[in-house]
Amino acid sequence: MAVLYRDDLYSILYTEEQIAERVAELGRQISADYEGKSIVLVGVLNGAVVFLSDLMRQITIPVAMDLVAISSYGSYSSTSGVVRIMKDLDESVESRHVLIVEDIVDTGLTLNYLVESMRSRNPASVKVVAMLSKPSRHRVTVHVDYLGFTVPDEFVVGYGLDFAQRYRNLPCIGVLKPEIYAGSDTPPGL
Ligand code: IMP
């Protein structure tokens, strides 16, 4: 693993190899479930881009790709639940199979909003694949059809996930040392 930022991690939860193995499994499962169909992968910017780019290369059925950007009001630890689409899809998903690709499901508010938003566009179906989920932080019932890993209630970075826009390029997923964000307003609900 590249040593970049490694010292800022308290622990490594999933290595590059473990992630690659799990993403390949998810790709196989998705390809089997949608056999004979094509899907639109809807990636959520910015966190899901690393997962999206790896996952799509493990899927063997035809895929199209589109991206949305979401903003939620309030700080990380006190999300208001009000969510807004900052960048919408480029193409219509009417009558198409939509698979939302999310980095991490925390409170679940972003995902719930996005699922409802996609459903309102008359797609053939809407499903969700998320790399990570923090079940203990969920504030609403969220249904994730395909999940990479569950993580504890800690602030995690790497594999697309950031703190203040850093660490996205870490190939592993790890827990950020609390002293890194001490005094910061951004994360987390610890
Ligand atoms: P939710 O609406 O609370 O589920 O928020 C999900 C979004 O919050 C994710 O897409 C991430 O961008 C961000 N997020 C939640 N937990 C973490 C974390 O531990 N590390 C980095 N980003 C996180």
Side-chain angles (χ1 to χ4, degrees):
M1 182 194 116
V3 289
L4 183 79
Y5 300 141
R6 174 63 187 86
D7 290 346
D8 293 356
L9 296 184
Y10 175 74
S11 65
I12 292 178
L13 295 177
Y14 298 105
T15 64
E16 188 174 0
E17 292 73 25
Q18 288 171 317
I19 294 169
E21 207 174 298
R22 187 72 190 113
V23 171
E25 280 169 10
L26 290 172
R28 278 195 293 274
Q29 202 184 337
I30 290 165
S31 305
D33 290 355
Y34 287 95
E35 202 187 334
K37 299 177 182 142
S38 62
I39 54 178
V40 188
L41 297 173
V42 173
V44 185
L45 293 170
N46 293 333
V49 294
V50 176
F51 177 41
L52 174 67
S53 68
D54 281 349
L55 180 68
M56 70 193 300
R57 283 174 289 173
Q58 300 296 330
I59 295 177
T60 52
I61 55 160
V63 297
M65 186 197 101
D66 212 332
L67 296 165
V68 290
I70 304 285
S71 99
S72 55
Y73 295 93
S75 67
Y76 173 81
S77 51
S78 60
T79 312
S80 63
V82 181
V83 178
R84 194 156 59 113
I85 293 189
M86 305 297 287
K87 183 223 165 286
D88 208 342
L89 297 175
D90 289 333
E91 289 183 10
S92 166
V93 290
E94 191 170 343
S95 305
R96 300 167 80 188
H97 294 285
V98 172
L99 182 58
I100 297 171
V101 184
E102 179 63 297
D103 53 0
I104 183 166
V105 184
D106 185 46
T107 63
L109 293 165
T110 305
L111 190 57
N112 255 21
Y113 175 84
L114 205 52
V115 168
E116 285 316 310
S117 171
M118 292 301 132
R119 283 205 181 121
S120 71
R121 302 168 195 226
N122 300 316
S125 68
V126 179
K127 281 191 181 185
V128 175
V129 55
M131 186 62 208
L132 302 174
S133 178
K134 280 186 200 170
S136 59
R137 293 255 312 167
H138 292 184
R139 276 171 47 186
V140 287
T141 308
V142 279
H143 181 72
V144 177
D145 299 275
Y146 306 97
L147 178 64
F149 302 110
T150 56
V151 288
D153 185 4
E154 313 256 26
F155 196 77
V156 298
V157 293
Y159 199 64
L161 288 166
D162 75 311
F163 168 61
Q165 297 300 332
R166 290 172 66 200
Y167 309 105
R168 292 194 199 277
N169 54 333
L170 272 177
C172 63
I173 294 167
V175 177
L176 193 61
K177 279 184 183 165
E179 58 260 40
I180 304 291
Y181 53 75
S184 159
D185 192 32
T186 316
L190 296 176

